[in-house]
């Protein structure tokens, strides 16, 4: 018989986590860097007690909100290109329910995170236990069952020895690029403290190898034949290209072939913004250069993209009657999308092999590329210096703008600062290697169009799930990953109100983050969507019952936590605040009061949203007709 060691289930889990390593391109490192926790009766005496005994050489951090700390862990994984993770533990009931949103975020973005929520008693002796939900048709259902649809792997531990197979399977899922996502192991709270004689070899160092998968020759030759016949091919750089670290190979491929690229939110900062073949963001949050070129492209080479509706403009971004698709992806499901030729393989290895096959083939569309980039630069310059007094906004927003309403916001917030001007100035002031984190509202659109990324992997955007509240927690995760860099959370007032408590965690552990809060006293992105589709402004502005605009002092809120804060209402104040914030050691918040309707608009894109089919309002009828007209040209699969 093999040697054994007697441990509680909780102790065995922590001991196992500390021995998991990952190897990629010959570089080996520990995979689980630590564990974040919020203790309750469902985990404090089990895995919590175990954590207290295994603190050496393991980062243990106390979170402030279960969703928030899990988002911190997700951003940590994202910033580490899926090669390092934090685990997360919560109590049973409300604690584990709070993990559902974060699990959905991780799943949508293909990001590994290990969730270890407490669960009800395996013995059922105290049934129903505190915080237990009860279903009449099954006593076996607990709150944690809500995590099943948003977990890539799910298991429930009701005996100590079950953790051995459960943990190994969970790590296979999390370290596999094709299946990377959240793994949930629900831990019955009585079992956490039960002891078992575990085999010693279970706790030996285990290395999980990430091997670069090569596409088969057949698919490579099919792709070569299609691309060679093209006149105007186009590359889409998605998140998979970044995780593969394929940036140099993509640039070389573009220079060798003359094929330009566009980028998704997850793919941005893979290839730098100043690369001459980079046309910028594609789709609903894309710019005019990328969207115009995509309409004319006859072959699309998708590298590591899952083709969300924002990337494809609800499947209207391309001329589907004539355009063919070649998809490079480690995930076979994503490779199949849009009826493409499937190159199932690693992005870096695949593009190198494709480049060799296309040796000598070059496409000369430089004049068109330069023309479109010049057009967009003109619009970029305009957005950098909007004259709000003369209502110089984008045409799409301007037609729904009410001057008297604007004056009310201007008077209450005491500002004339446009959002786009502030954002562009911010981009100019921060260090090139500073990391920005964002997720929801109008900022993702402004950032994909306007932000200039000049250092690899400095754009941490969660837009697979567009989770309001990710931003502040995500900034902490990015800071944990890259402590030597300045990290900025770009967040709207709506998202900040949704969830910002991991700012306290950042202050508690002296992990400096900078919160750049754009306050226009409302949910501006959804207000634009609402009014742009024929509806009246309704429940999307922060106004009182008597119609007064709310003017919340967010700087004072953060000051109460202990952050260094600034109030900004002009470009000059913003510049001064950014310089000062960079010099202090503590976390900061810059409260920027901006005017509504001063974000970027749409540029030759379409987003399919649920507009009413019947209405007495003329504007809604017109919007519905626009939806139907665009769907006439849309692809259904």
């Amino acid at each position: 018989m093999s040697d054994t060691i007697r441990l509680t289930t909780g102790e065995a889990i922590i001991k196992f986590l500390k021995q998991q390593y990952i190897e990629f391109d010959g570089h080996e490192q520990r995979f689980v860097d630590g564990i974040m926790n919020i203790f309750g009766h469902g985990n404090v005496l089990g895995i919590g007690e175990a954590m207290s005994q295994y603190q050496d050489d393991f980062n243990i951090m106390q979170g402030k909100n279960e969703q928030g700390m899990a988002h911190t862990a997700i951003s940590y994984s994202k910033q580490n290109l899926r090669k390092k993770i934090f685990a997360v533990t919560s109590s049973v009931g409300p604690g584990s329910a709070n993990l559902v949103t974060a699990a959905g975020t991780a799943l949508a973005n293909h990001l590994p995170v290990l969730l270890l929520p407490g669960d009800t008693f395996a013995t059922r002796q105290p049934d129903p236990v505190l915080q237990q939900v009860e279903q009449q048709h099954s006593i076996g259902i607990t709150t944690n069952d809500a995590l099943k649809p948003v977990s890539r792997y799910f298991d429930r531990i009701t005996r100590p020895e079950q953790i051995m197979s459960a943990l190994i399977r969970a790590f296979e899922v999390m370290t596999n690029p094709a299946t990377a996502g959240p793994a949930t192991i629900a831990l019955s709270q009585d079992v956490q403290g039960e002891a078992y004689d575990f085999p010693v070899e279970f706790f030996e160092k285990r290395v999980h190898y990430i091997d670069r998968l090569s596409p088969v020759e057949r698919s490579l030759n099919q792709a070569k034949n299609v691309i060679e016949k093209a006149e105007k091919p186009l590359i889409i750089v998605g998140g998979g290209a970044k995780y593969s670290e394929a940036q140099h190979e993509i640039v070389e491929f573009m220079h060798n072939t003359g094929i330009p690229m566009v980028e998704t939110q997850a793919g941005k900062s893979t290839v730098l913004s100043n690369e001459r073949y980079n046309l910028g963001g594609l789709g609903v949050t894309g710019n005019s250069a990328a969207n115009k070129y995509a309409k004319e492209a006859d072959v699309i080479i998708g590298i590591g993209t899952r083709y969300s509706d924002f990337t494809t403009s609800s499947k209207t971004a391309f001329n589907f009657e004539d355009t063919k698709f070649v998809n490079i992806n480690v995930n076979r499901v994503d490779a199949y999308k849009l009826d493409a030729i499937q190159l199932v393989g690693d992005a870096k290895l695949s593009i190198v092999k494709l480049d060799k096959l296309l040796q000598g083939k070059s496409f000369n569309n430089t004049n068109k590329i330069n023309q479109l980039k010049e057009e967009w630069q003109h619009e970029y310059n305009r957005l950098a210096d909007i004259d709000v007094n003369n209502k110089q906004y984008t045409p799409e927003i301007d037609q729904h703008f009410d001057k008297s309403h604007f004056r009310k916001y201007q008077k209450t917030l005491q500002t004339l600062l446009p959002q786009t001007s502030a954002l562009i100035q911010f981009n100019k002031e921060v260090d090139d290697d500073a990391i920005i984190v964002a997720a929801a509202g109008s900022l993702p659109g402004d950032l994909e169009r306007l932000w200039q990324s000049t250092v690899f992997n400095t754009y941490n955007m969660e837009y697979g799930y567009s989770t309001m509240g990710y931003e502040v927690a995500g900034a902490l995760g990015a800071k944990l990953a890259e402590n030597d860099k300045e990290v900025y959370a770009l967040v709207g007032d709506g998202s900040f109100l949704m969830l910002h408590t991991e700012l306290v965690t950042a202050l508690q552990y002296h992990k400096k983050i900078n919160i750049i809060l754009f306050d226009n006293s409302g949910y501006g992105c959804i207000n634009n969507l609402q009014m742009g589709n024929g509806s009246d402004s309704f429940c999307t502005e922060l106004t009182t019952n008597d119609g007064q605009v709310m003017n919340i002092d967010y700087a004072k809120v953060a000051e109460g936590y202990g952050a260094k804060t600034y109030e900004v209402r002009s470009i000059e104040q913003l510049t001064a605040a950014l310089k000062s914030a960079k010099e202090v050691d503590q976390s900061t918040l810059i409260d920027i009061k901006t005017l509504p309707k001063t974000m970027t608009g749409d540029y030759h894109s379409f987003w399919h949203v649920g507009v009413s089919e019947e209405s007495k309002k003329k504007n809604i009828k017109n919007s519905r007709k626009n939806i139907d007209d665009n769907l006439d040209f849309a692809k259904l699969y």
Side-chain angles (χ1 to χ4, degrees):
M1 291 182 63
S2 61
D3 292 337
T4 61
I5 179 172
R6 190 163 182 82
L7 298 168
T8 67
T9 305
E11 290 173 333
I13 290 171
I14 302 303
K15 191 175 180 66
F16 177 88
L17 296 186
K18 294 178 69 172
Q19 288 293 89
Q20 304 310 299
Y21 288 75
I22 197 167
E23 183 179 298
F24 182 71
D25 283 354
H27 176 67
E28 182 183 290
Q29 62 185 13
R30 180 186 277 181
F31 185 55
V32 186
D33 199 32
I35 184 166
M36 297 193 73
N37 69 86
I38 293 179
F39 287 146
H41 75 280
N43 65 343
V44 67
L45 299 177
I47 195 170
E49 170 61 20
M51 288 162 58
S52 72
Q53 298 182 51
Y54 289 85
Q55 298 180 59
D56 296 341
D57 194 29
F58 203 52
N59 292 319
I60 297 177
M61 298 181 67
Q62 176 196 87
K64 303 298 171 289
N65 174 282
E66 290 86 1
Q67 182 188 142
M69 69 175 179
H71 280 149
T72 297
I74 291 164
S75 178
Y76 181 82
S77 171
K78 185 178 182 70
Q79 196 62 40
N80 277 294
L81 304 176
R82 304 195 298 201
K83 298 173 183 71
K84 293 183 79 174
I85 68 167
F86 260 80
V88 172
T89 180
S90 73
S91 187
V92 65
S96 58
N98 280 348
L99 293 176
V100 173
T101 300
T105 303
L107 185 66
N109 288 277
H110 299 295
L111 293 170
V113 62
L114 179 62
L115 306 179
L116 300 169
D119 212 316
T120 57
F121 277 64
T123 64
R124 298 182 182 173
Q125 182 277 322
D127 179 73
V129 70
L130 179 65
Q131 298 183 329
Q132 179 178 341
V133 297
E134 293 184 273
Q135 284 282 10
Q136 293 182 351
H137 65 276
S138 173
I139 198 172
I141 292 176
T142 76
T143 301
N144 287 326
D145 286 280
L147 285 159
K148 287 181 178 179
V150 286
S151 296
R152 191 72 72 187
Y153 175 80
F154 180 93
D155 206 344
R156 178 178 279 113
I157 302 302
T158 57
R159 289 184 57 84
E161 59 267 38
Q162 292 173 350
I163 67 164
M164 291 186 284
S165 59
L167 284 169
I168 290 173
R169 289 179 181 178
F171 275 80
E172 187 282 320
V173 167
M174 291 189 293
T175 59
N176 183 347
T179 60
T184 299
I185 301 180
L187 305 171
S188 299
Q189 54 189 287
D190 50 345
V191 178
Q192 292 178 42
E194 291 179 5
Y196 184 78
D197 295 320
F198 290 93
V200 172
E201 60 264 28
F202 179 63
F203 304 106
E204 292 176 355
K205 178 180 176 181
R206 180 175 277 102
V207 180
H208 305 270
Y209 295 91
I210 301 181
D211 298 316
R212 293 189 182 274
L213 178 66
S214 176
V216 298
E217 293 298 320
R218 168 189 45 78
S219 61
L220 283 165
N221 287 324
Q222 287 177 336
K224 170 183 176 289
N225 293 335
V226 166
I227 295 169
E228 282 183 332
K229 295 174 183 176
E231 294 183 3
K232 218 174 201 181
L234 176 66
I235 298 165
I236 300 178
V237 174
K242 183 185 289 186
Y243 300 136
S244 175
E245 300 179 53
Q247 62 272 24
H248 300 302
E249 288 70 22
I250 292 172
V251 170
E252 186 174 357
F253 180 73
M254 291 192 296
H255 288 183
N256 289 340
T257 62
I259 303 175
M261 59 155 282
V262 294
E263 57 196 3
T264 70
Q265 290 279 15
K268 191 174 176 72
S269 81
T270 302
V271 175
L272 306 185
S273 299
N274 54 11
E275 161 58 43
R276 71 177 186 266
Y277 285 108
N278 188 349
L279 289 164
L282 174 69
V284 178
T285 55
N287 65 33
S288 60
N291 287 336
K292 284 183 177 180
Y293 200 97
K295 280 288 187 184
E296 298 177 9
D298 50 1
V299 170
I300 300 294
I301 306 169
I303 308 177
T305 177
R306 66 189 187 102
Y307 289 106
S308 75
D309 65 336
F310 262 58
T311 298
T312 68
S313 291
S314 297
K315 298 179 182 174
T316 65
F318 318 107
N319 179 4
F320 285 104
E321 291 187 5
D322 300 320
T323 304
K324 297 184 183 300
F325 290 81
V326 174
N327 289 343
I328 299 171
N329 209 299
V330 290
N331 187 307
R332 196 164 181 258
V333 172
D334 287 330
Y336 257 75
K337 289 178 179 176
L338 301 181
D339 202 20
I341 293 171
Q342 309 111 36
L343 271 65
V344 181
D346 170 73
K348 182 176 182 176
L349 188 57
S350 299
I351 208 70
V352 166
K353 293 200 168 191
L354 196 57
D355 195 12
K356 288 181 179 178
L357 285 176
L358 290 169
Q359 196 169 23
K361 180 65 178 178
S362 181
F363 301 88
N364 187 11
N365 292 304
T366 305
N367 291 339
K368 184 65 175 180
I369 294 167
N370 292 339
Q371 174 198 334
L372 291 174
K373 293 186 77 166
E374 287 174 11
E375 287 178 7
W376 175 246
Q377 186 63 46
H378 179 75
E379 172 65 359
Y380 175 95
N381 294 340
R382 188 189 71 80
L383 292 167
D385 191 24
I386 289 176
D387 183 352
V388 294
N389 286 319
N390 292 319
K391 290 176 55 181
Q392 291 181 1
Y393 310 102
T394 57
E396 294 90 338
I397 293 174
D398 192 37
Q399 63 183 316
H400 305 293
F401 186 76
D402 180 82
K403 189 172 184 178
S404 63
H405 199 53
F406 161 74
R407 294 299 179 195
K408 184 163 64 172
Y409 275 86
Q410 176 187 337
K411 182 178 179 180
T412 302
L413 299 178
Q414 298 179 332
T415 186
L416 283 172
L417 185 57
Q419 181 167 300
T420 55
S421 301
L423 187 60
I424 290 171
Q425 183 65 25
F426 170 62
N427 195 178
K428 292 177 180 177
E429 294 293 336
V430 299
D431 296 338
D432 288 344
D433 67 352
I435 298 165
I436 64 164
V437 180
S442 60
L443 284 169
D446 287 359
L447 286 165
E448 188 170 22
R449 296 181 184 111
L450 302 176
W451 192 262
Q452 302 298 297
S453 298
T454 54
V455 173
F456 173 72
N457 194 30
T458 52
Y459 186 85
N460 184 322
M461 176 68 71
E462 189 291 292
Y463 215 58
Y465 213 45
S466 185
T467 308
M468 294 179 70
Y470 169 88
E471 299 92 336
V472 175
L476 174 57
K479 186 66 175 181
L480 291 172
E482 303 204 51
N483 190 53
D484 59 332
K485 296 181 179 178
E486 289 288 331
V487 177
Y488 297 87
L490 282 80
V491 59
D493 50 320
S495 277
F496 185 81
L497 289 171
M498 189 79 70
L499 183 62
H500 65 262
T501 47
E502 298 318 310
L503 168 59
V504 177
T505 309
L507 290 161
Q508 178 182 2
Y509 290 95
H510 303 292
K511 297 296 180 182
K512 181 193 174 187
I513 62 173
N514 304 282
I515 300 172
I516 313 300
L517 196 155
F518 290 80
D519 176 20
N520 58 14
S521 197
Y523 302 91
C525 170
I526 300 303
N527 182 262
N528 290 341
L529 177 67
Q530 185 180 50
M531 299 184 70
N533 282 279
S535 296
D536 301 319
S537 180
F538 176 66
C539 282
T540 52
E541 299 177 78
L542 285 178
T543 55
T544 60
N545 288 342
D546 58 356
Q548 297 301 308
V549 177
M550 297 188 72
N551 186 10
I552 299 172
D553 191 341
Y554 294 104
K556 188 170 289 185
V557 172
E559 183 183 3
Y561 292 142
K564 174 70 174 174
T565 63
Y566 308 84
E567 294 185 11
V568 166
R569 289 177 169 83
S570 69
I571 291 293
E572 293 75 21
Q573 289 176 343
L574 175 61
T575 301
L578 288 168
K579 288 181 179 177
S580 174
K582 194 161 63 172
E583 294 172 356
V584 302
D585 293 329
Q586 73 209 86
S587 292
T588 70
L589 183 142
I590 300 178
D591 184 359
I592 308 175
K593 303 299 183 186
T594 59
L595 291 171
K597 309 299 182 187
T598 58
M599 59 283 288
T600 55
D602 295 325
Y603 296 92
H604 309 281
S605 66
F606 164 74
W607 188 26
H608 187 186
V609 289
V611 177
S612 300
E613 190 171 6
E614 295 291 337
S615 176
K616 295 179 181 179
K617 297 179 180 179
K618 181 180 178 181
N619 287 341
I620 289 182
K621 289 181 178 179
N622 291 337
S623 179
R624 178 67 193 202
K625 184 179 185 304
N626 178 59
I627 294 283
D628 293 337
D629 289 346
N630 274 283
L631 290 178
D632 287 341
F633 301 96
K635 196 175 184 68
L636 294 176
Y637 61 90

